PDB file of all heavy atoms in Angstrom:
ATOM      1  N   ASP A 145      71.966  69.300 126.782  1.00 96.00           N
ATOM      2  CA  ASP A 145      72.092  67.840 126.852  1.00 96.00           C
ATOM      3  C   ASP A 145      70.705  67.227 127.059  1.00 96.00           C
ATOM      4  O   ASP A 145      69.815  67.879 127.613  1.00 96.00           O
ATOM      5  CB  ASP A 145      73.020  67.466 128.002  1.00 96.00           C
ATOM      6  CG  ASP A 145      73.282  65.968 128.082  1.00 96.00           C
ATOM      7  OD1 ASP A 145      73.176  65.281 127.051  1.00 96.00           O
ATOM      8  OD2 ASP A 145      73.582  65.486 129.192  1.00 96.00           O
ATOM      9  N   ASN A 146      70.534  65.988 126.650  1.00 95.00           N
ATOM     10  CA  ASN A 146      69.241  65.333 126.876  1.00 95.00           C
ATOM     11  C   ASN A 146      69.177  64.641 128.232  1.00 95.00           C
ATOM     12  O   ASN A 146      68.104  64.522 128.825  1.00 95.00           O
ATOM     13  CB  ASN A 146      68.939  64.315 125.782  1.00 95.00           C
ATOM     14  CG  ASN A 146      67.515  63.806 125.851  1.00 95.00           C
ATOM     15  OD1 ASN A 146      66.572  64.587 125.870  1.00 95.00           O
ATOM     16  ND2 ASN A 146      67.345  62.487 125.904  1.00 95.00           N
ATOM     17  N   TYR A 147      70.332  64.164 128.734  1.00 93.00           N
ATOM     18  CA  TYR A 147      70.336  63.365 129.953  1.00 93.00           C
ATOM     19  C   TYR A 147      70.553  64.245 131.181  1.00 93.00           C
ATOM     20  O   TYR A 147      71.670  64.417 131.665  1.00 93.00           O
ATOM     21  CB  TYR A 147      71.412  62.286 129.858  1.00 93.00           C
ATOM     22  CG  TYR A 147      71.172  61.310 128.736  1.00 93.00           C
ATOM     23  CD1 TYR A 147      72.070  61.201 127.681  1.00 93.00           C
ATOM     24  CD2 TYR A 147      70.038  60.504 128.715  1.00 93.00           C
ATOM     25  CE1 TYR A 147      71.852  60.303 126.644  1.00 93.00           C
ATOM     26  CE2 TYR A 147      69.801  59.604 127.679  1.00 93.00           C
ATOM     27  CZ  TYR A 147      70.718  59.511 126.650  1.00 93.00           C
ATOM     28  OH  TYR A 147      70.489  58.634 125.620  1.00 93.00           O
ATOM     29  N   LEU A 148      69.464  64.814 131.673  1.00 95.00           N
ATOM     30  CA  LEU A 148      69.513  65.620 132.885  1.00 95.00           C
ATOM     31  C   LEU A 148      68.872  64.836 134.022  1.00 95.00           C
ATOM     32  O   LEU A 148      67.968  64.029 133.784  1.00 95.00           O
ATOM     33  CB  LEU A 148      68.769  66.945 132.669  1.00 95.00           C
ATOM     34  CG  LEU A 148      69.275  67.806 131.501  1.00 95.00           C
ATOM     35  CD1 LEU A 148      68.401  69.037 131.337  1.00 95.00           C
ATOM     36  CD2 LEU A 148      70.734  68.194 131.706  1.00 95.00           C
ATOM     37  N   PRO A 149      69.299  65.046 135.263  1.00 94.00           N
ATOM     38  CA  PRO A 149      68.813  64.204 136.367  1.00 94.00           C
ATOM     39  C   PRO A 149      67.345  64.413 136.725  1.00 94.00           C
ATOM     40  O   PRO A 149      66.711  63.501 137.264  1.00 94.00           O
ATOM     41  CB  PRO A 149      69.726  64.603 137.539  1.00 94.00           C
ATOM     42  CG  PRO A 149      70.225  65.962 137.187  1.00 94.00           C
ATOM     43  CD  PRO A 149      70.356  65.973 135.696  1.00 94.00           C
ATOM     44  N   ASP A 150      66.791  65.587 136.423  1.00 94.00           N
ATOM     45  CA  ASP A 150      65.422  65.877 136.856  1.00 94.00           C
ATOM     46  C   ASP A 150      64.425  66.012 135.709  1.00 94.00           C
ATOM     47  O   ASP A 150      63.225  66.136 135.952  1.00 94.00           O
ATOM     48  CB  ASP A 150      65.397  67.152 137.704  1.00 94.00           C
ATOM     49  CG  ASP A 150      66.037  68.338 137.007  1.00 94.00           C
ATOM     50  OD1 ASP A 150      66.789  68.125 136.035  1.00 94.00           O
ATOM     51  OD2 ASP A 150      65.796  69.476 137.426  1.00 94.00           O
ATOM     52  N   CYS A 151      64.920  65.967 134.459  1.00 93.00           N
ATOM     53  CA  CYS A 151      64.011  66.163 133.322  1.00 93.00           C
ATOM     54  C   CYS A 151      64.788  65.891 132.045  1.00 93.00           C
ATOM     55  O   CYS A 151      65.949  66.303 131.925  1.00 93.00           O
ATOM     56  CB  CYS A 151      63.483  67.595 133.332  1.00 93.00           C
ATOM     57  SG  CYS A 151      62.437  68.055 131.938  1.00 93.00           S
ATOM     58  N   ALA A 152      64.189  65.202 131.115  1.00 95.00           N
ATOM     59  CA  ALA A 152      64.853  64.987 129.832  1.00 95.00           C
ATOM     60  C   ALA A 152      65.044  66.325 129.122  1.00 95.00           C
ATOM     61  O   ALA A 152      64.183  67.213 129.185  1.00 95.00           O
ATOM     62  CB  ALA A 152      64.029  64.043 128.957  1.00 95.00           C
ATOM     63  N   GLY A 153      66.166  66.469 128.447  1.00 95.00           N
ATOM     64  CA  GLY A 153      66.441  67.714 127.749  1.00 95.00           C
ATOM     65  C   GLY A 153      65.373  68.076 126.728  1.00 95.00           C
ATOM     66  O   GLY A 153      65.007  69.247 126.591  1.00 95.00           O
ATOM     67  N   VAL A 154      64.858  67.077 126.018  1.00 96.00           N
ATOM     68  CA  VAL A 154      63.843  67.378 125.004  1.00 96.00           C
ATOM     69  C   VAL A 154      62.551  67.879 125.654  1.00 96.00           C
ATOM     70  O   VAL A 154      61.835  68.707 125.071  1.00 96.00           O
ATOM     71  CB  VAL A 154      63.561  66.154 124.105  1.00 96.00           C
ATOM     72  CG1 VAL A 154      64.767  65.834 123.233  1.00 96.00           C
ATOM     73  CG2 VAL A 154      63.139  64.955 124.919  1.00 96.00           C
ATOM     74  N   ALA A 155      62.244  67.398 126.858  1.00 95.00           N
ATOM     75  CA  ALA A 155      61.064  67.896 127.574  1.00 95.00           C
ATOM     76  C   ALA A 155      61.280  69.336 128.022  1.00 95.00           C
ATOM     77  O   ALA A 155      60.373  70.176 127.928  1.00 95.00           O
ATOM     78  CB  ALA A 155      60.758  67.004 128.771  1.00 95.00           C
ATOM     79  N   LEU A 156      62.482  69.639 128.511  1.00 96.00           N
ATOM     80  CA  LEU A 156      62.804  71.011 128.886  1.00 96.00           C
ATOM     81  C   LEU A 156      62.738  71.924 127.660  1.00 96.00           C
ATOM     82  O   LEU A 156      62.203  73.039 127.734  1.00 96.00           O
ATOM     83  CB  LEU A 156      64.198  71.062 129.513  1.00 96.00           C
ATOM     84  CG  LEU A 156      64.745  72.458 129.821  1.00 96.00           C
ATOM     85  CD1 LEU A 156      63.874  73.168 130.850  1.00 96.00           C
ATOM     86  CD2 LEU A 156      66.191  72.363 130.300  1.00 96.00           C
ATOM     87  N   LEU A 157      63.271  71.451 126.554  1.00 95.00           N
ATOM     88  CA  LEU A 157      63.290  72.244 125.333  1.00 95.00           C
ATOM     89  C   LEU A 157      61.891  72.686 124.925  1.00 95.00           C
ATOM     90  O   LEU A 157      61.685  73.821 124.475  1.00 95.00           O
ATOM     91  CB  LEU A 157      63.944  71.436 124.207  1.00 95.00           C
ATOM     92  CG  LEU A 157      64.001  72.075 122.820  1.00 95.00           C
ATOM     93  CD1 LEU A 157      64.722  73.420 122.872  1.00 95.00           C
ATOM     94  CD2 LEU A 157      64.694  71.133 121.844  1.00 95.00           C
ATOM     95  N   ALA A 158      60.924  71.801 125.107  1.00 94.00           N
ATOM     96  CA  ALA A 158      59.543  72.118 124.727  1.00 94.00           C
ATOM     97  C   ALA A 158      58.979  73.282 125.550  1.00 94.00           C
ATOM     98  O   ALA A 158      58.036  73.951 125.110  1.00 94.00           O
ATOM     99  CB  ALA A 158      58.660  70.889 124.891  1.00 94.00           C
ATOM    100  N   GLU A 159      59.568  73.527 126.731  1.00 93.00           N
ATOM    101  CA  GLU A 159      59.099  74.628 127.585  1.00 93.00           C
ATOM    102  C   GLU A 159      59.727  75.968 127.205  1.00 93.00           C
ATOM    103  O   GLU A 159      59.198  77.022 127.581  1.00 93.00           O
ATOM    104  CB  GLU A 159      59.475  74.362 129.046  1.00 93.00           C
ATOM    105  CG  GLU A 159      58.980  73.079 129.650  1.00 93.00           C
ATOM    106  CD  GLU A 159      59.554  72.889 131.048  1.00 93.00           C
ATOM    107  OE1 GLU A 159      60.043  73.888 131.636  1.00 93.00           O
ATOM    108  OE2 GLU A 159      59.529  71.764 131.547  1.00 93.00           O
ATOM    109  N   LEU A 160      60.875  75.911 126.516  1.00 92.00           N
ATOM    110  CA  LEU A 160      61.692  77.107 126.346  1.00 92.00           C
ATOM    111  C   LEU A 160      61.281  77.940 125.139  1.00 92.00           C
ATOM    112  O   LEU A 160      60.902  77.402 124.100  1.00 92.00           O
ATOM    113  CB  LEU A 160      63.168  76.712 126.206  1.00 92.00           C
ATOM    114  CG  LEU A 160      63.770  75.896 127.349  1.00 92.00           C
ATOM    115  CD1 LEU A 160      65.219  75.564 127.049  1.00 92.00           C
ATOM    116  CD2 LEU A 160      63.650  76.646 128.674  1.00 92.00           C
ATOM    117  N   ASP A 161      61.409  79.238 125.282  1.00 91.00           N
ATOM    118  CA  ASP A 161      61.193  80.159 124.176  1.00 91.00           C
ATOM    119  C   ASP A 161      62.534  80.796 123.822  1.00 91.00           C
ATOM    120  O   ASP A 161      62.726  82.010 123.913  1.00 91.00           O
ATOM    121  CB  ASP A 161      60.165  81.222 124.581  1.00 91.00           C
ATOM    122  CG  ASP A 161      59.815  82.151 123.429  1.00 91.00           C
ATOM    123  OD1 ASP A 161      60.034  81.758 122.273  1.00 91.00           O
ATOM    124  OD2 ASP A 161      59.335  83.276 123.692  1.00 91.00           O
ATOM    125  N   VAL A 162      63.476  79.935 123.433  1.00 94.00           N
ATOM    126  CA  VAL A 162      64.830  80.389 123.123  1.00 94.00           C
ATOM    127  C   VAL A 162      65.438  79.405 122.130  1.00 94.00           C
ATOM    128  O   VAL A 162      65.090  78.221 122.122  1.00 94.00           O
ATOM    129  CB  VAL A 162      65.682  80.469 124.412  1.00 94.00           C
ATOM    130  CG1 VAL A 162      65.814  79.117 125.083  1.00 94.00           C
ATOM    131  CG2 VAL A 162      67.059  81.060 124.123  1.00 94.00           C
ATOM    132  N   ASP A 163      66.328  79.886 121.287  1.00 94.00           N
ATOM    133  CA  ASP A 163      67.001  79.001 120.341  1.00 94.00           C
ATOM    134  C   ASP A 163      67.828  77.971 121.107  1.00 94.00           C
ATOM    135  O   ASP A 163      68.409  78.283 122.162  1.00 94.00           O
ATOM    136  CB  ASP A 163      67.921  79.803 119.424  1.00 94.00           C
ATOM    137  CG  ASP A 163      67.153  80.669 118.433  1.00 94.00           C
ATOM    138  OD1 ASP A 163      65.940  80.432 118.250  1.00 94.00           O
ATOM    139  OD2 ASP A 163      67.767  81.578 117.848  1.00 94.00           O
ATOM    140  N   ALA A 164      67.902  76.757 120.562  1.00 96.00           N
ATOM    141  CA  ALA A 164      68.636  75.696 121.250  1.00 96.00           C
ATOM    142  C   ALA A 164      69.284  74.747 120.255  1.00 96.00           C
ATOM    143  O   ALA A 164      68.748  74.494 119.171  1.00 96.00           O
ATOM    144  CB  ALA A 164      67.708  74.912 122.173  1.00 96.00           C
ATOM    145  N   VAL A 165      70.436  74.239 120.639  1.00 96.00           N
ATOM    146  CA  VAL A 165      71.141  73.189 119.908  1.00 96.00           C
ATOM    147  C   VAL A 165      71.369  72.045 120.882  1.00 96.00           C
ATOM    148  O   VAL A 165      71.871  72.267 121.995  1.00 96.00           O
ATOM    149  CB  VAL A 165      72.483  73.694 119.347  1.00 96.00           C
ATOM    150  CG1 VAL A 165      73.299  72.535 118.770  1.00 96.00           C
ATOM    151  CG2 VAL A 165      72.257  74.766 118.281  1.00 96.00           C
ATOM    152  N   MET A 166      70.995  70.851 120.498  1.00 96.00           N
ATOM    153  CA  MET A 166      71.209  69.686 121.345  1.00 96.00           C
ATOM    154  C   MET A 166      72.652  69.216 121.235  1.00 96.00           C
ATOM    155  O   MET A 166      73.181  69.043 120.127  1.00 96.00           O
ATOM    156  CB  MET A 166      70.280  68.550 120.927  1.00 96.00           C
ATOM    157  CG  MET A 166      68.803  68.829 121.078  1.00 96.00           C
ATOM    158  SD  MET A 166      68.244  69.030 122.788  1.00 96.00           S
ATOM    159  CE  MET A 166      68.555  67.380 123.451  1.00 96.00           C
ATOM    160  N   LEU A 167      73.296  69.004 122.382  1.00 95.00           N
ATOM    161  CA  LEU A 167      74.626  68.402 122.463  1.00 95.00           C
ATOM    162  C   LEU A 167      74.477  67.179 123.357  1.00 95.00           C
ATOM    163  O   LEU A 167      74.425  67.307 124.582  1.00 95.00           O
ATOM    164  CB  LEU A 167      75.644  69.374 123.070  1.00 95.00           C
ATOM    165  CG  LEU A 167      75.797  70.757 122.430  1.00 95.00           C
ATOM    166  CD1 LEU A 167      76.890  71.541 123.156  1.00 95.00           C
ATOM    167  CD2 LEU A 167      76.125  70.645 120.946  1.00 95.00           C
ATOM    168  N   THR A 168      74.382  65.996 122.779  1.00 92.00           N
ATOM    169  CA  THR A 168      73.997  64.831 123.567  1.00 92.00           C
ATOM    170  C   THR A 168      74.528  63.549 122.972  1.00 92.00           C
ATOM    171  O   THR A 168      74.851  63.490 121.770  1.00 92.00           O
ATOM    172  CB  THR A 168      72.454  64.754 123.670  1.00 92.00           C
ATOM    173  OG1 THR A 168      72.078  63.610 124.432  1.00 92.00           O
ATOM    174  CG2 THR A 168      71.807  64.687 122.299  1.00 92.00           C
ATOM    175  N   ALA A 169      74.610  62.518 123.800  1.00 91.00           N
ATOM    176  CA  ALA A 169      74.992  61.192 123.333  1.00 91.00           C
ATOM    177  C   ALA A 169      73.790  60.394 122.849  1.00 91.00           C
ATOM    178  O   ALA A 169      73.950  59.276 122.343  1.00 91.00           O
ATOM    179  CB  ALA A 169      75.700  60.429 124.454  1.00 91.00           C
ATOM    180  N   ALA A 170      72.595  60.938 122.993  1.00 91.00           N
ATOM    181  CA  ALA A 170      71.380  60.224 122.582  1.00 91.00           C
ATOM    182  C   ALA A 170      71.318  60.137 121.055  1.00 91.00           C
ATOM    183  O   ALA A 170      71.298  61.165 120.373  1.00 91.00           O
ATOM    184  CB  ALA A 170      70.149  60.932 123.119  1.00 91.00           C
ATOM    185  N   THR A 171      71.267  58.919 120.552  1.00 90.00           N
ATOM    186  CA  THR A 171      71.248  58.731 119.101  1.00 90.00           C
ATOM    187  C   THR A 171      70.036  57.949 118.615  1.00 90.00           C
ATOM    188  O   THR A 171      69.953  57.627 117.424  1.00 90.00           O
ATOM    189  CB  THR A 171      72.523  57.992 118.637  1.00 90.00           C
ATOM    190  OG1 THR A 171      72.627  56.744 119.342  1.00 90.00           O
ATOM    191  CG2 THR A 171      73.768  58.823 118.910  1.00 90.00           C
ATOM    192  N   ASP A 172      69.096  57.627 119.507  1.00 92.00           N
ATOM    193  CA  ASP A 172      67.917  56.895 119.056  1.00 92.00           C
ATOM    194  C   ASP A 172      67.023  57.835 118.262  1.00 92.00           C
ATOM    195  O   ASP A 172      66.874  59.018 118.581  1.00 92.00           O
ATOM    196  CB  ASP A 172      67.156  56.319 120.253  1.00 92.00           C
ATOM    197  CG  ASP A 172      66.689  57.403 121.204  1.00 92.00           C
ATOM    198  OD1 ASP A 172      67.546  57.976 121.913  1.00 92.00           O
ATOM    199  OD2 ASP A 172      65.482  57.697 121.232  1.00 92.00           O
ATOM    200  N   PRO A 173      66.414  57.335 117.184  1.00 93.00           N
ATOM    201  CA  PRO A 173      65.596  58.186 116.316  1.00 93.00           C
ATOM    202  C   PRO A 173      64.474  58.916 117.045  1.00 93.00           C
ATOM    203  O   PRO A 173      64.155  60.051 116.709  1.00 93.00           O
ATOM    204  CB  PRO A 173      65.038  57.199 115.279  1.00 93.00           C
ATOM    205  CG  PRO A 173      66.033  56.089 115.238  1.00 93.00           C
ATOM    206  CD  PRO A 173      66.539  55.963 116.645  1.00 93.00           C
ATOM    207  N   ALA A 174      63.884  58.268 118.048  1.00 93.00           N
ATOM    208  CA  ALA A 174      62.778  58.903 118.762  1.00 93.00           C
ATOM    209  C   ALA A 174      63.231  60.193 119.445  1.00 93.00           C
ATOM    210  O   ALA A 174      62.525  61.210 119.417  1.00 93.00           O
ATOM    211  CB  ALA A 174      62.189  57.944 119.792  1.00 93.00           C
ATOM    212  N   THR A 175      64.407  60.162 120.071  1.00 94.00           N
ATOM    213  CA  THR A 175      64.913  61.361 120.745  1.00 94.00           C
ATOM    214  C   THR A 175      65.278  62.438 119.736  1.00 94.00           C
ATOM    215  O   THR A 175      64.995  63.626 119.942  1.00 94.00           O
ATOM    216  CB  THR A 175      66.127  61.020 121.618  1.00 94.00           C
ATOM    217  OG1 THR A 175      65.729  60.089 122.634  1.00 94.00           O
ATOM    218  CG2 THR A 175      66.695  62.262 122.285  1.00 94.00           C
TER     219      THR A 175
END
Side-chain angles (χ1 to χ4, degrees):
D145 184 25
N146 190 53
Y147 298 117
L148 303 176
D150 54 342
C151 176
V154 292
L156 174 63
L157 177 57
E159 303 174 17
L160 303 179
D161 184 21
V162 61
D163 290 344
V165 172
M166 297 294 295
L167 306 182
T168 180
T171 56
D172 60 288
T175 298

